[in-house]
Amino acid sequence: MHVKAKTVAFGGLLLALTVVFMALGSIIETSTLFLLAAASFFVGIVIREFGLKAGGAFYLAAVLLGFITAPNKFYVVTFAAMGLYIWGIEAVWRWLEKHPDIQRRHTLFWISKYIIFNIMYLPIAFLFRDLLFPQAIPDAAMIAVAVGGQAALFIYDRAYDYVQVHMWGKIRGRVL
């Protein structure tokens, strides 16, 4: 497999930005989720520009470098979940592109997004509730946490779409 110098250089720049955003999430506590989400969006940019394999390598490198450099390892785990979600939805999108005969692809794509998210989110929220919350949380509040996660996914996914279509779409021509 031949790797082009431009691909490696661009991937390295995005990897550096990803690690910086993860580290800044530990420093600027009020913007942690914003910075981690922005860092995970770079996974999607690499996937869209260079493919799923390159995106997977980028994702693994970002997680490993995050564990080495970021002060708060919990934020690296959060980034890892966000990046895995991005990788998963991009993989589903590419699979749907190869199967144009499937009816209601948009609906299937949205269902896939929520399935991928909930496979990661719900077990973490319910199994590690003592780690996530400072005191015992009743089951009714955990249901609110589960529903709140679905709303957060909707916002996160809309932000990802906006970044990919509008922001990256405008910058892409100048960078690549």
Side-chain angles (χ1 to χ4, degrees):
M1 176 173 130
H2 293 51
V3 180
K4 296 179 183 176
K6 190 176 192 180
T7 303
V8 172
F10 184 67
L13 286 173
L14 288 183
L15 186 59
L17 284 172
T18 301
V19 172
V20 166
F21 279 25
M22 275 191 271
L24 282 175
S26 298
I27 296 167
I28 307 170
E29 293 288 330
T30 56
S31 298
T32 299
L33 282 177
F34 171 79
L35 290 166
L36 293 176
S40 69
F41 292 168
F42 293 130
V43 174
I45 290 172
V46 170
I47 291 170
R48 289 195 181 188
E49 294 300 324
F50 308 117
L52 283 172
K53 288 181 184 179
F58 178 87
Y59 167 74
L60 289 175
V63 171
L64 290 174
L65 277 174
F67 275 118
I68 293 170
T69 60
N72 192 334
K73 306 308 182 211
F74 184 72
Y75 294 159
V76 179
V77 173
T78 304
F79 162 79
M82 290 175 163
L84 186 60
Y85 167 78
I86 297 284
W87 192 89
I89 65 168
E90 290 292 338
V92 169
W93 178 256
R94 288 181 183 242
W95 183 81
L96 286 171
E97 282 182 332
K98 292 179 184 176
H99 296 88
D101 54 323
I102 295 176
Q103 299 295 320
R104 303 179 66 109
R105 292 183 330 160
H106 186 70
T107 304
L108 182 61
F109 185 55
W110 269 98
I111 291 169
S112 299
K113 287 180 179 186
Y114 278 94
I115 288 172
I116 291 168
F117 173 75
N118 284 311
I119 285 173
M120 292 185 300
Y121 177 70
L122 293 177
I124 290 170
F126 284 96
L127 295 176
F128 298 109
R129 80 166 81 173
D130 295 335
L131 180 66
L132 297 173
F133 304 106
Q135 51 188 316
I137 301 253
D139 290 336
M142 287 306 295
I143 292 171
V145 167
V147 171
Q150 308 311 306
L153 172 66
F154 182 78
I155 294 168
Y156 174 75
D157 197 66
R158 289 292 181 183
Y160 175 67
D161 288 342
Y162 180 81
V163 166
Q164 286 291 346
V165 173
H166 297 287
M167 296 177 74
W168 179 243
K170 290 179 184 175
I171 296 171
R172 183 179 187 272
R174 293 182 214 147
V175 175
L176 292 177

